[in-house]
Amino acid sequence: MQKYLAEARVLLALAIPVILAQIAQTSMGVVDTIMAGSVSATDMAAVAVGTSIWLPAILFGHGLLLSLTPTIAHLNGAGRRDKIGHQVQQGFWLASGVSVLVIAVLYQCDHILGLMHNIDPELKEKAVGYLHAIMWGAPGYLFFQVLRDQCEGLSKTKPGMVFGFIGLLVNIPVNYIFIYGKFGAPALGGVGCGVATGTVYWVMFFMMRYYVRHNRALRDTQPASRFAKPDWATLRRLSQLGLPIALALFFEVTLFAIVALLVSPLGIVAVASHQIALNVGSLMFVVPLSLGVAATIRVGSKLGESSVEGAKVAAYTSIMTGILMACCTATTAILFREHIAALYNDSPEVVMLASHLLIFAALFQISDAIQVIGSGILRGYKDTRSIFYITFIAYWVLGLPVGYMLGLTDLLVPRMGPSGFWCGFILGLTFAAMMMTLRMRWLQKQPSYTILQKAGR
């Protein structure tokens, strides 16, 4: 029992800064929405519509780069820190390639928004302007993620937290300048949020770059030369490891976007209640998501040390810690659901339905914690293909179809409205949690040399 408690302390020391970094990143979106909303409802809607396209695109690149964390953690655990610089250099090449792809997609966003029927021309114009502004921040965001993954792979999660909060603080005055047209800048409204956020991503990257270059503890991880040509073998390995994670993130984000569109014909009360429950669920999700990152670091590091048993202890400790925390957040959400809903809206109908949906949001916390931490553990084992298959089946084969049938049809039961989609979420996440756990147990039963060989690829 002592070894599990010791592991839990290390795990939480890694996870808490990641939790705070995620809160800072989420808060940037909240600040953008509030400040754009102070100009007009159209500007706020333009930021919301633009974000719904920006997020899937940039999270695809983010997911691809997550292959760096277990790779660096393994090298660090194995005492091969001199090899880390090369992996980081290739990470920059990978980020550069993805940035070009993201910019190319967002440059054509006019055609993507054209697929939305009956969209207001002014709203469309401002959303296009927002995306054309923020897309130039894509390289800065992804380069920052390369260095953040480097630090996290080395069990240093505090830099991501510190620079995340600095980015949040910088974002507010820069938003003020470009939204309202201060200090000689043009008043761009919602488009100014895109300019500000894109600028802040570059500021965060340069600060992180300075930290990594001048930190003595990281000096032995610096590459031998400042420039390296693309190493296609390394890029292929990183891409093969990261692509399933990227696709899993992309499918998850698009699933929730599609459900929001399917709920929209049910009326204002249904849409508002669904958004409240989804927002609260997203805030609670930050905790297990951060534990999943910590689990990747610990499992990858232990396998680098050739400690298969240590990796197993780290895996089970992270899951049990996640379950305990999920029970706490779920209990809080259920007990105070009416008060939480009332913070978002004062309409009695919205508060009543949102309070009901928050019960579902609380119920799936345990399954959600197990599946996202399980995904982090599998990343530590460098078993990422299974993550893609499990999440695709859980979300798109089970969760969405069942949610649609329960929510909008009478095929199984009388249509349940938004509650039906939340039942679909619970089914999909429970399936994902079970399959992630079974896959983890199957991996751990393999011979030690097989596990270490796979992790050391």
Side-chain angles (χ1 to χ4, degrees):
M1 191 64 187
Q2 191 65 35
K3 62 183 178 183
Y4 288 99
L5 290 173
E7 181 63 34
R9 283 194 292 269
V10 176
L11 192 77
L12 288 172
L14 290 171
I16 289 171
V18 180
I19 292 171
L20 296 173
Q22 293 293 338
I23 291 171
Q25 192 168 334
T26 304
S27 298
M28 282 179 66
V30 174
V31 168
D32 285 352
T33 304
I34 292 171
M35 295 185 75
S38 67
V39 178
S40 73
T42 303
D43 285 272
M44 183 173 71
V47 171
V49 170
T51 301
S52 69
I53 296 173
W54 161 257
L55 276 181
I58 200 66
L59 285 179
F60 177 83
H62 180 102
L64 201 61
L65 294 172
L66 281 176
S67 57
L68 281 168
T69 305
T71 301
I72 291 170
H74 185 275
L75 291 171
N76 184 47
R80 297 162 61 196
R81 290 168 64 94
D82 58 309
K83 305 291 184 184
I84 290 173
H86 175 70
Q87 299 295 324
V88 173
Q89 284 179 324
Q90 299 310 308
F92 277 115
W93 280 113
L94 189 58
S96 300
V98 179
S99 297
V100 172
L101 180 63
V102 170
I103 290 171
V105 169
L106 296 182
Y107 189 75
Q108 301 297 324
C109 63
D110 186 40
H111 302 295
I112 298 171
L113 290 168
L115 299 174
M116 299 174 66
H117 299 295
N118 302 320
I119 186 171
D120 180 75
E122 185 185 1
L123 171 60
K124 180 183 176 182
E125 181 185 354
K126 290 189 174 186
V128 169
Y130 171 84
L131 288 167
H132 281 176
I134 199 173
M135 70 182 186
W136 300 111
Y141 177 89
L142 294 174
F143 292 162
F144 172 78
Q145 291 305 322
V146 170
L147 296 176
R148 180 180 171 181
D149 290 341
Q150 176 186 0
C151 291
E152 290 181 351
L154 295 167
S155 299
K156 294 183 179 295
T157 54
K158 288 180 182 178
M161 174 194 71
V162 171
F163 295 125
F165 273 101
I166 292 175
L168 173 62
L169 294 175
V170 172
N171 189 49
I172 296 170
V174 180
N175 260 347
Y176 178 76
I177 291 168
F178 287 105
I179 290 174
Y180 304 112
K182 304 297 181 180
F183 304 106
L188 299 174
V191 175
C193 289
V195 176
T197 304
T199 304
V200 168
Y201 288 147
W202 280 105
V203 170
M204 290 168 64
F205 161 63
F206 286 123
M207 288 190 299
M208 180 68 97
R209 185 68 173 163
Y210 182 86
Y211 168 81
V212 170
R213 275 212 178 150
H214 294 85
N215 190 299
R216 291 182 180 179
L218 301 176
R219 191 165 293 171
D220 60 337
T221 66
Q222 298 300 315
S225 60
R226 288 199 172 186
F227 178 80
K229 294 180 180 178
D231 180 347
W232 299 110
T234 302
L235 286 171
R236 187 168 58 252
R237 282 196 299 272
L238 289 173
S239 299
Q240 288 174 345
L241 192 59
L243 186 59
I245 306 171
L247 291 173
L249 274 175
F250 178 81
F251 283 129
E252 183 176 352
V253 172
T254 51
L255 168 73
F256 286 103
I258 287 172
V259 169
L261 291 175
L262 291 172
V263 170
S264 60
L266 299 176
I268 296 296
V269 172
V271 172
S273 303
H274 173 73
Q275 284 302 119
I276 290 170
L278 195 60
N279 187 259
V280 174
S282 299
L283 290 173
M284 291 190 286
F285 179 69
V286 166
V287 175
L289 178 66
S290 303
L291 285 169
V293 173
T296 300
I297 297 167
R298 292 299 294 161
V299 171
S301 180
K302 289 297 180 182
L303 292 176
E305 296 171 9
S306 300
S307 176
V308 175
E309 182 60 30
K312 187 184 292 186
V313 169
Y316 283 111
T317 302
S318 59
I319 287 179
M320 291 308 299
T321 305
I323 291 173
L324 286 172
M325 289 192 166
C327 289
C328 294
T329 55
T331 303
T332 303
I334 291 173
L335 291 176
F336 299 101
R337 61 187 184 278
E338 292 182 5
H339 302 285
I340 294 169
L343 292 173
Y344 286 85
N345 199 285
D346 56 4
S347 167
E349 295 86 357
V350 172
V351 170
M352 184 174 69
L353 182 53
S355 300
H356 175 67
L357 295 179
L358 281 172
I359 296 174
F360 292 100
L363 289 176
F364 81 33
Q365 286 305 304
I366 295 175
S367 296
D368 206 12
I370 295 172
Q371 71 88 18
V372 74
I373 294 170
S375 174
I377 292 167
L378 293 179
R379 288 202 303 270
Y381 280 103
K382 294 190 179 178
D383 185 63
T384 56
R385 286 188 184 180
S386 60
I387 297 172
F388 166 70
Y389 292 124
I390 291 169
T391 52
F392 179 78
I393 293 169
Y395 296 147
W396 288 87
V397 178
L398 286 176
L400 182 59
V402 171
Y404 181 85
M405 285 190 287
L406 292 174
L408 299 179
T409 74
D410 299 319
L411 291 174
L412 301 176
V413 294
R415 65 187 64 190
M416 299 171 63
S419 300
F421 286 103
W422 283 88
C423 289
F425 289 159
I426 291 172
L427 175 66
L429 289 168
T430 302
F431 172 82
M434 292 170 57
M435 296 308 295
M436 293 284 188
T437 305
L438 289 173
R439 180 65 179 178
M440 180 189 76
R441 288 175 62 86
W442 180 84
L443 279 173
Q444 291 171 344
K445 289 178 180 178
Q446 302 304 302
S448 296
Y449 69 87
T450 304
I451 297 173
L452 294 173
Q453 185 180 38
K454 182 181 180 66
R457 295 189 294 192

